[in-house]
Amino acid sequence: MALPYYVSPEQMMADKAEYAKKGIAKGRSIVAMEFADGVLLVADNPSASLHKISEMYDRIAFSGAGKYNEFEMLRKAGIRHADLKGYTYSREDVTARSLANAYSQSIGSIFSVEPKPLEVELLVVEVGQGDKPNEIYRISYDGSIIDEKGVAAIGGKADALLTFLKARWTAPTISLREALRLSIEALDTVTNQKLGAEGLEVAVLDRTRTGRTFRRIGSAEIKSLVA
Amino acid sequence: MSFFLDPHGSSFYDFLAGRGPEPLPLHQAPQIGSQPAASGVPGTSALPAVPHGTTVLAIRYQDGVLMAGDRQATEGFQVAGRRIDKVFKTDEHSVIAIAGAAGPSLELARLFQIELEHYEKLEGDMLSCEGKANKLAQMVRGNLPMAFQGLVVIPLFAGYDLKRREGRIFKYDVTGGRYEETEYHATGSGGKDARDTMKQLYRRGLKEAQALRIALEALYNAAEEDVGTGGPDLVRGIYPTVKVISEKGVRDLEESKIAETCNALINERRERV
């Protein structure tokens, strides 16, 4: 019987990480940004029907970058988790922290056990109620989880976007118009192109709404906000 | 519906059922005795008496559907609650009203509301009005074992069909039979009296205020004839709940307007006797 080749755990993890990073680097990017009335999410997405940003629960939104089938599967699992929790206990017991933890666990265990890691990066965002702060969690292909403040970015150009935004974003008191302009400027700069309203997917978690706070912003509204 | 590679599909109800019966109260009835509970009246019941919701109704008017319910829950010969709500908004364009055993009915309403939201989030699209009505039929059918134990759940469903641009009313039976009504319907212990009143007063193309008046009159008559149904409580200021469903969405009618119409109705009756 032939012995299997020995590969050191370090080498195996490094190979998997490189594979996942390559997959994510091919994808388009997404920006999340706190503004006065909540959190804004902007994705570079030419499709009007295949979403990268979606509603998860009353005050929670989800966004995925990388391989569509993989983050779509994670999105559905998250909605089931959230709805089941809300049904079993109460709507206010569904939190982004618990969702982000669940994602981190699942993605992390797939990264260490499965031969192929998931080529995805996720953002789980919650808008605070009353004077509670917003929460932005970024989850990577290996299950690592980062608690971001103010701005966050995922996808192929995440690092460049984050550097650009950290230098320009001032405070969570900026208006929706300012936040949207800054997000689009950041995406335009790192991708070296001019993204029109049709090439963007935009949504907000609106602190001023009660119940379901998630709202998509259509291309007509984007145009009027940016003009 | 599930795509066959995806074990759960887009239905929260199927997802819960697939996880085992424990979280889903509507599927399994406790086996207590062999006698049916006969509407919770003590003495005839194998189950202990449980609160029952009584009369709810729906009536079509020019912009959509108006739905109303009395506020009383009845447990045997006792009043179990004076302020319960039986009319619930389930999404932007639909409302469910419940009559029957209050526990499973309220659970059905809550589960149906989550079902619609769950589908909308997973699919990125709302269910059609017809689709919602059919899903509710399956959920009522799921309650059939409990109905045999006397815990009957009979919802009334009204939605605004955005494609047809009209309001629609659906009634159900315990086996999950789904029937569409084109004018009005009422269900619950005072349902027959409410239907009789609406039969006399209904016309096509009613205005909102006229539909409200007819609905309140129907509930008032039901409360007069049926011991389970509660009339307007003038001492505590408790009036029926009324919701309207139109193209613009679901709206609660202001309590002041309901109270005003109720009081006008009572004054007219007073002059008659």
Side-chain angles (χ1 to χ4, degrees), chain B residues 36-70:
Chain B
S39 71
V41 176
T44 62
S45 165
L47 275 178
V50 294
H52 277 62
T54 46
T55 309
V56 290
L57 61 84
I59 181 165
R60 272 184 61 186
Y61 74 107
Q62 62 180 14
D63 298 332
V65 182
L66 179 140
M67 238 180 173
D70 75 313

Side-chain angles (χ1 to χ4, degrees), chain A residues 12-167:
Chain A
M12 204 192 297
M13 291 303 148
D15 286 353
K16 282 189 191 179
E18 194 187 340
Y19 177 81
K21 272 187 204 158
K22 265 189 193 162
I24 295 163
K26 277 185 277 180
R28 294 162 193 264
S29 307
I30 297 148
V31 170
M33 187 182 294
E34 290 185 49
F35 71 100
D37 290 332
V39 188
L40 170 75
L41 290 151
V42 183
D44 168 7
N45 183 3
S47 167
S49 55
L50 300 172
H51 297 307
K52 287 177 188 287
I53 302 169
S54 109
E55 175 185 13
M56 191 126 279
Y57 211 65
D58 289 357
R59 315 188 73 81
I60 305 171
F62 168 97
S63 174
K67 225 168 165 231
Y68 180 80
N69 66 326
E70 293 179 352
F71 71 71
E72 176 68 4
M73 170 195 79
L74 291 165
R75 182 184 77 91
K76 287 186 169 175
I79 290 172
R80 288 191 185 112
H81 171 96
D83 277 345
L84 182 63
K85 203 164 179 207
Y87 171 71
T88 314
Y89 304 110
S90 136
R91 294 194 82 92
E92 61 195 281
D93 297 315
V94 181
T95 59
R97 188 168 54 84
S98 132
L99 266 168
N101 266 311
Y103 278 131
S104 163
Q105 293 291 326
S106 317
I107 297 175
S109 84
I110 288 172
F111 182 76
S112 45
V113 175
E114 300 290 332
K116 186 195 110 45
L118 294 177
E119 299 155 71
V120 292
E121 265 192 303
L122 310 180
L123 279 177
V124 179
V125 178
E126 178 171 355
V127 65
Q129 193 156 24
D131 44 3
K132 272 188 159 175
N134 304 317
E135 290 169 32
I136 303 176
Y137 297 100
R138 174 182 173 182
I139 300 127
S140 292
Y141 56 86
D142 59 353
S144 61
I145 176 167
I146 306 162
D147 179 4
E148 301 270 19
K149 288 274 173 289
V151 287
I154 52 169
K157 300 277 195 294
D159 293 338
L161 275 170
L162 209 54
T163 315
F164 183 92
L165 290 169
K166 286 253 155 99

Side-chain angles (χ1 to χ4, degrees), chain A residues 51 54-58 72 75-77 79-91 212, chain B residues 6 8-10 12 15-16 19 23-25 91 107 110-111 113-114 117-118 120-124:
Chain A
H51 297 307
S54 109
E55 175 185 13
M56 191 126 279
Y57 211 65
D58 289 357
E72 176 68 4
R75 182 184 77 91
K76 287 186 169 175
I79 290 172
R80 288 191 185 112
H81 171 96
D83 277 345
L84 182 63
K85 203 164 179 207
Y87 171 71
T88 314
Y89 304 110
S90 136
R91 294 194 82 92
R212 293 166 71 180
Chain B
D6 179 356
H8 301 307
S10 302
F12 186 70
F15 167 59
L16 274 188
R19 295 178 80 251
L24 201 59
D91 68 8
E107 191 60 34
R110 195 162 88 96
L111 199 50
Q113 188 199 345
I114 299 174
E117 186 189 320
H118 189 77
E120 186 190 334
K121 288 191 290 197
L122 284 186
E123 300 275 328

